[in-house]
Amino acid sequence: MTVVGPFGLHVRDQALEADVQTGLAAVEAGLLEATKSDVPFITEAAQHLVRAGGKRFRPLLVMLASQFGDPDAPGVVPAAVVVELTHLATLYHDDVMDEADVRRGVESANTRWGNSVAVLTGDFLFARASHILADLGPDAVRIQAEAFERLVTGQILETAGPRDGRDPVDHYLDVLSGKTGSLVAVSGRFGALMAGADERTVDILTQYGERLGIAFQLADDVLDIASDSHESGKTPGTDLREGIPTLPVLRLRAQAAEDGKPDDLELVELIDGDLSDDDTLAEALRRLRAHPALEQARQDTVRYAQEARATLAPLPEGYAKSALEELCDAVVHRAG
């Protein structure tokens, strides 16, 4: 059993390991090439997060999904570059909206160069992804456009909040389906599609990616509360400080509204207050880490990962399927 990629997936077959490692190395080279510009400053800004590393979760899924067809097909690596460039672009924009100081263990682009440069760098990455995408054909362009629309819609829904009478948890899961699930679903779809897999397999891997993507984001929600910056690559409590309603907080609110326990109501009031002071934020994190709402969020993560695993049942047994199942376990492990 060998660990493959920064995400830490365990692969049990040497041939599969070689294919995935070769594919990810080609993706890394493709990312550096795609982020080059004739303007040195643009290259520096565009490669800032590429060189910071990352889990390469989406390219990894592209590589594994391609195993159900021809993993050496010419569109596989460019498709993986496209999904990672798109993801990176959203990170530049997210950090501006969240006013984040740290991303992937390094200074965020908005902190280093300001919001305008961060937003425009994200736009530059979107443009480069579109350029690569054009060579993959009109179907690929349409698939990516639909996914990007869902991604942006999810972000807008998060900003707008749930409509009157809508359960906040259900609303939030819809947000995640668009904001995160859509691009992970495309990763599974592109990997299978570019490798020439049959339509049923493409559909299965798309559904798998959607559920796994939601589980992945829920694990991030848990990490924002439970981890230190070394584990998560960003400042703990960033979402909490910015008032982003992640699942542990939504579960806390629901429990406080239902039971009316003084301690829960007091914690909600603390979280809803000014968390700009580091000591106040640390206190909110300490209390939320000890609250059952965090464990509830962990169990939600497990549920979506199990649903992702279940969608794989019709696929033929083999090392590629086992690796996709391992990926579900790896996501759950991130959430503790």
Side-chain angles (χ1 to χ4, degrees), residues 58 82-94 97 119 121-130 133 139-157 175-187 189-190 210:
R58 292 155 188 82
V82 165
V83 294
E84 187 66 9
L85 282 175
T86 304
H87 171 59
L88 288 169
T90 66
L91 297 185
Y92 281 85
H93 288 179
D94 281 351
M97 290 186 289
V119 170
T121 302
D123 294 344
F124 176 80
L125 296 181
F126 284 132
R128 286 298 174 90
S130 298
L133 199 61
D139 285 346
V141 173
R142 176 182 51 78
I143 290 167
Q144 176 75 354
E146 289 171 353
F148 191 51
E149 179 184 342
R150 289 187 59 209
L151 192 158
V152 173
T153 298
Q155 183 65 66
I156 292 171
L157 286 174
V175 166
L176 295 194
S177 181
K179 197 178 153 187
T180 304
S182 59
L183 194 57
V184 182
V186 164
S187 301
R189 187 172 184 179
F190 271 166
E210 178 93 16

Side-chain angles (χ1 to χ4, degrees), residues 9 11 14 83 95 110 114 120 125 154 161 164 172 174-175 181 204 211 238 261 269 273 282 287-288 291 296:
L9 175 71
V11 173
Q14 288 185 346
V83 294
D95 285 346
N110 50 297
L120 291 169
L125 296 181
D164 289 345
Y172 182 63
D174 280 348
V175 166
I204 287 169
R211 288 164 176 78
T238 296
K261 293 180 179 178
E269 185 178 355
R287 293 180 61 177
L288 196 49
H291 196 278
Q296 281 184 288

Side-chain angles (χ1 to χ4, degrees), residues 172 217 221-222 224-225 239-240 243-251:
Y172 182 63
Q217 183 57 55
D221 284 2
V222 172
D224 185 63
I225 304 299
D239 293 338
L240 197 63
I244 297 171
T246 57
L247 194 61
V249 173
L250 292 173
R251 291 295 188 198

Side-chain angles (χ1 to χ4, degrees), residues 40-329:
F41 175 70
I42 295 177
T43 301
E44 181 186 4
Q47 292 187 349
H48 180 63
L49 289 185
V50 174
R51 294 187 181 281
K55 294 171 284 293
R56 302 296 187 251
F57 175 59
R58 292 155 188 82
L60 176 59
L61 180 52
V62 174
M63 294 303 131
L64 291 175
S66 73
Q67 293 292 320
F68 295 88
D70 176 11
D72 297 321
V76 172
V77 168
V81 173
V82 165
V83 294
E84 187 66 9
L85 282 175
T86 304
H87 171 59
L88 288 169
T90 66
L91 297 185
Y92 281 85
H93 288 179
D94 281 351
D95 285 346
V96 171
M97 290 186 289
D98 298 344
E99 299 179 4
D101 297 325
V102 178
R103 169 69 71 176
R104 295 186 169 177
V106 299
E107 188 178 33
S108 63
N110 50 297
T111 299
R112 184 166 181 176
W113 293 295
N115 287 346
S116 294
V117 169
V119 170
L120 291 169
T121 302
D123 294 344
F124 176 80
L125 296 181
F126 284 132
R128 286 298 174 90
S130 298
H131 189 272
I132 297 169
L133 199 61
D135 292 333
L136 298 179
D139 285 346
V141 173
R142 176 182 51 78
I143 290 167
Q144 176 75 354
E146 289 171 353
F148 191 51
E149 179 184 342
R150 289 187 59 209
L151 192 158
V152 173
T153 298
Q155 183 65 66
I156 292 171
L157 286 174
E158 181 180 63
T159 303
R163 64 180 184 272
D164 289 345
R166 182 84 197 280
D167 177 57
V169 171
D170 289 343
H171 169 82
Y172 182 63
L173 292 174
D174 280 348
V175 166
L176 295 194
S177 181
K179 197 178 153 187
T180 304
S182 59
L183 194 57
V184 182
V186 164
S187 301
R189 187 172 184 179
F190 271 166
L193 185 67
M194 295 300 163
D198 62 80
E199 186 176 343
R200 181 168 177 261
T201 299
V202 172
D203 185 55
I204 287 169
L205 290 166
T206 303
Q207 293 179 46
Y208 166 83
E210 178 93 16
R211 288 164 176 78
L212 189 68
I214 296 173
F216 185 83
Q217 183 57 55
L218 293 179
D220 266 5
D221 284 2
V222 172
L223 280 171
D224 185 63
I225 304 299
S227 74
D228 59 30
S229 57
H230 175 73
E231 291 176 278
S232 62
K234 64 179 185 178
T235 305
T238 296
D239 293 338
L240 197 63
R241 173 170 272 167
E242 295 305 319
I244 297 171
T246 57
L247 194 61
V249 173
L250 292 173
R251 291 295 188 198
L252 167 66
R253 292 189 196 283
Q255 190 165 329
E258 182 178 347
D259 299 338
K261 293 180 179 178
D263 285 351
D264 290 352
L265 294 171
E266 184 181 310
L267 180 53
V268 169
E269 185 178 355
L270 176 64
I271 288 170
D272 287 344
D274 183 2
L275 296 177
S276 58
D277 177 73
D278 288 345
D279 289 340
T280 305
L281 178 63
E283 174 65 11
L285 286 170
R286 183 189 65 79
R287 293 180 61 177
L288 196 49
R289 285 167 180 166
H291 196 278
L294 186 61
E295 182 56 33
Q296 281 184 288
R298 282 195 178 100
Q299 291 308 311
D300 290 321
T301 305
V302 171
R303 175 167 58 87
Y304 273 96
Q306 288 174 338
E307 288 179 4
R309 179 191 286 265
T311 64
L312 298 173
L315 294 180
E317 298 300 324
Y319 290 118
K321 181 177 177 179
S322 295
L324 290 173
E325 291 171 341
E326 287 273 359
L327 203 51
C328 297
D329 297 336

